[in-house]
Amino acid sequence: MRQSHQLPLVGLLLFSLIPSQLCTICEVSKENYSRLNPLLSTMIHSKYTRGIQAANVLLSLRLVGIQDQNIEQKLLKEVRDSEEKKDLTSGQLALVILALRACQNSDESVTYFHLVSQLEEKFQEEIKNMGVHDGNPLTNYYQLSLDLLTLCLFNGSYTITEVKNHFTPENKNFYFGGQFSVDTGAMAVLALTCVKRSIMNHQILTNGEDLQHINNYTESLVKKILSEKKGNGLIGNIYSTGEAMQALFVSPNYYNKNEWNCQQTLDTVLKEISQEAFHMPTAAAQILPALMGKTYLDVNNVSSCASSPGHLNISIDELIPVEPTISPIKISVNYTVQINETFFTNVTVPKGSVFLDVMKEAQKINQTAFRFTYAESSWGPYITSVQGLKENSNDRTYWQLLSGGEPVSQGVASYVVHNGENLEVRWSKY
Ligand code: CBY
């Protein structure tokens, strides 16, 4: 008698859990697929300055089911070339592995076995560096999370103790200048979710306490991500929103339905696409999977990748590349380098110029005060030194870019400057 009373209750409970699991993934509807064309066009027509950009693009296209032979061949070559150069950071190698293995049959696993072993080594080097340099990794926690995610997905070795010790949400590496990094937190949630699934499938042996730790970390990171939600639905900023969406897709049991209006986020992103916010291949590649309801946890799930009903079916030939326009009109901007002293100049550049053009002009005017170096990253050029003073991840120093005293949200080659603007490059700590 008692049991028969309980049964409907259990049924009700299960019923109420299932929809919450399904509803959290919102994706672009078929009628709106054409609104994704600017993203695809950017990804396909870009000239990649680094192979790692190709890895981001290949991973993204494979996840949403675009497997055009010509594009695949071109991207695969770039990704393999970048791997052969052997100068990849841990997270870059992780991305290469994710891209190469994404949505492929598991017999491919033998082919890339050596890459996973290399990643195990690089992950250990990151941890070792933290031991010697006050908890600072060689790169950053976004990359450590990518490492853990990849090792977890492709049977690489890591220990639960490492996860427990290094992925506490209070760890300083989740913050830059006191500000929670949504990109980093989101990548960590994806990695921790993979670890949690491995524990539940008994792929790694642990005790109940370990699982509880992982649950607590995930819950706290999800809260922090949601607290960075803006009025228009973006999470963090436009460039972190795709990865934040992925993190929220895989962790529906850690927040209430009313805490996130996925459709609102989706609508704002679609609007931003039409305003060309994603003109960088990496930016486009990082937003696309979430818009199609996919996450990086789907990479070793071949059926979820290509054959899903929401499979993108577009004709590549219809995608027209956008050419930037160079204007004959000149504008004038103020430029400052701030260390302990202030170095100031005024430069004239063509309208439509980017931050990097201003820095180059200033360097022509005064080589001593304004000389600088940069390195290519997946997001384009990244300033590594000014006046010979080099950024250093061991002491968390870097060159921060500001406009009107506020940090800008794009890199030097993307940020378009305006007449009369006060630009600054400031020696900072994160
Ligand atoms: N990727 C990485 O390793 C980068 C991880 C990341 C969290 C990244 C953002 C997010 C992503 N999706 O890739 C990141 N930035 C980090 C970790 C960092 C730090 C790098 C230090 C280190 N040891 O690795 C640091 C120094 C705090 C940092 N980012 C600095 C900057 C500024 C660069 C200035 C320069 N010297 O050139 C800048 C311009 C902020 C500023 N105002 O100074 C900056 N980052 C920006 C704007 C960004 C966004 C780029 C957006 C764009 N359209 O160009 C970013 C996406 C990203 C790249 N940074 Co950081 C964050 C965002 O706005 N959502 C892994 C690898 C395999 O690809």
Side-chain angles (χ1 to χ4, degrees):
M1 185 68 187
R2 278 188 76 172
Q3 244 185 356
S4 69
H5 265 109
Q6 276 171 356
L7 265 178
L9 264 179
V10 173
L12 193 72
L13 188 72
L14 281 176
F15 185 74
S16 64
L17 282 176
I18 295 165
S20 88
Q21 285 261 5
L22 295 177
C23 288
T24 22
I25 291 198
C26 68
E27 55 185 70
V28 174
S29 58
K30 273 217 163 80
E31 311 82 76
N32 275 325
Y33 278 1
S34 63
R35 296 178 72 180
L36 302 176
N37 282 357
L39 297 182
L40 297 166
S41 176
T42 300
M43 287 159 74
I44 289 160
H45 296 294
S46 289
K47 286 187 190 66
Y48 306 109
T49 42
R50 283 282 303 222
I52 200 66
Q53 292 178 332
N56 267 296
V57 170
L58 182 61
L59 169 61
S60 182
L61 291 179
R62 283 182 161 182
L63 270 177
V64 301
I66 298 178
Q67 302 226 357
D68 178 278
Q69 281 283 323
N70 290 334
I71 300 169
E72 277 253 332
Q73 288 315 317
K74 182 183 129 195
L75 290 169
L76 266 173
K77 187 182 172 320
E78 300 221 23
V79 174
R80 291 202 182 110
D81 286 354
S82 77
E83 187 270 310
E84 275 161 18
K85 286 193 201 124
K86 302 279 174 221
D87 61 348
L88 298 177
T89 62
S90 69
Q92 289 174 339
L93 177 61
L95 255 179
V96 163
I97 298 174
L98 287 176
L100 292 175
R101 291 279 311 266
C103 314
Q104 307 300 294
N105 290 321
S106 53
D107 32 287
E108 291 259 345
S109 61
V110 191
T111 331
Y112 301 122
F113 187 70
H114 66 289
L115 294 184
V116 178
S117 329
Q118 274 178 35
L119 181 61
E120 289 169 353
E121 277 170 38
K122 285 186 193 274
F123 185 58
Q124 288 310 318
E125 284 164 18
E126 296 275 13
I127 290 178
K128 197 169 142 212
N129 201 77
M130 289 199 274
V132 198
H133 293 285
D134 191 26
N136 301 327
L138 289 170
T139 61
N140 54 63
Y141 257 39
Y142 181 90
Q143 297 204 25
L144 254 84
S145 303
L146 264 175
D147 301 346
L148 178 62
L149 172 68
T150 309
L151 290 174
C152 171
L153 287 170
F154 299 113
N155 295 322
S157 58
Y158 61 91
T159 68
I160 290 295
T161 314
E162 284 161 353
V163 179
K164 244 172 34 188
N165 291 347
H166 299 294
F167 284 85
T168 42
E170 294 73 36
N171 189 302
K172 67 172 175 188
N173 291 300
F174 283 113
Y175 302 83
F176 299 129
Q179 170 73 40
F180 179 70
S181 162
V182 171
D183 315 64
T184 310
M187 198 51 83
V189 166
L190 290 169
L192 291 171
T193 305
C194 177
V195 172
K196 187 182 98 180
R197 289 181 185 176
S198 303
I199 296 178
M200 307 233 282
N201 297 336
H202 307 290
Q203 279 164 298
I204 38 177
L205 289 178
T206 55
N207 53 40
E209 233 175 73
D210 289 334
L211 192 58
Q212 194 53 45
H213 270 108
I214 310 268
N215 273 328
N216 293 346
Y217 292 4
T218 311
E219 187 178 3
S220 162
L221 287 170
V222 166
K223 279 220 169 74
K224 286 172 197 278
I225 292 171
L226 282 171
S227 70
E228 295 298 328
K229 192 165 44 83
K230 308 294 180 252
N232 60 3
L234 294 184
I235 308 168
N237 66 18
I238 181 80
Y239 306 108
S240 52
T241 298
E243 287 174 346
M245 288 174 81
Q246 289 194 29
L248 295 174
F249 287 165
V250 301
S251 51
N253 297 330
Y254 295 89
Y255 59 94
N256 291 325
K257 256 206 228 152
N258 60 10
E259 284 181 86
W260 180 40
N261 180 346
C262 178
Q263 194 58 46
Q264 185 205 15
T265 304
L266 199 67
D267 291 342
T268 303
V269 171
L270 286 178
K271 231 179 271 158
E272 293 276 348
I273 293 176
S274 66
Q275 287 156 18
E276 292 177 28
F278 300 95
H279 62 272
M280 294 261 310
T282 302
Q286 289 192 2
I287 193 82
L288 183 63
L291 302 179
M292 295 296 295
K294 300 285 185 255
T295 80
Y296 295 153
L297 293 182
D298 294 321
V299 295
N300 61 3
N301 183 352
V302 181
S303 61
S304 149
C305 281
S307 56
S308 65
H311 167 58
L312 251 192
N313 192 3
I314 47 124
S315 162
I316 307 292
D317 306 327
E318 285 167 21
L319 304 169
I320 309 143
V322 221
E323 298 296 339
T325 45
I326 300 161
S327 166
I329 304 165
K330 296 277 184 185
I331 57 167
S332 145
V333 296
N334 298 321
Y335 176 64
T336 307
V337 164
Q338 175 79 42
I339 314 175
N340 289 330
E341 261 179 89
T342 306
F343 302 84
F344 173 84
T345 189
N346 179 277
V347 299
T348 305
V349 287
K351 189 167 178 262
S353 293
V354 292
F355 206 124
L356 187 64
D357 300 321
V358 173
M359 293 181 74
K360 285 181 178 164
E361 262 325 290
Q363 185 171 237
K364 277 187 212 155
I365 300 170
N366 183 342
Q367 168 76 22
T368 324
F370 300 119
R371 84 195 144 98
F372 68 95
T373 57
Y374 64 85
E376 283 299 339
S377 78
S378 47
W379 288 88
Y382 173 90
I383 305 299
T384 46
S385 83
V386 179
Q387 291 187 16
L389 185 57
K390 262 197 190 156
E391 58 135 15
N392 185 338
S393 58
N394 287 337
D395 43 28
R396 305 191 104 210
T397 48
Y398 79 115
W399 286 99
Q400 187 179 34
L401 313 178
L402 305 106
S403 163
E406 291 298 320
V408 302
S409 58
Q410 284 175 305
V412 271
S414 310
Y415 185 83
V416 177
V417 302
H418 297 101
N419 192 33
E421 200 169 349
N422 293 309
L423 300 173
E424 182 186 335
V425 174
R426 189 187 291 173
W427 180 241
S428 307
K429 267 200 153 192
Y430 54 87

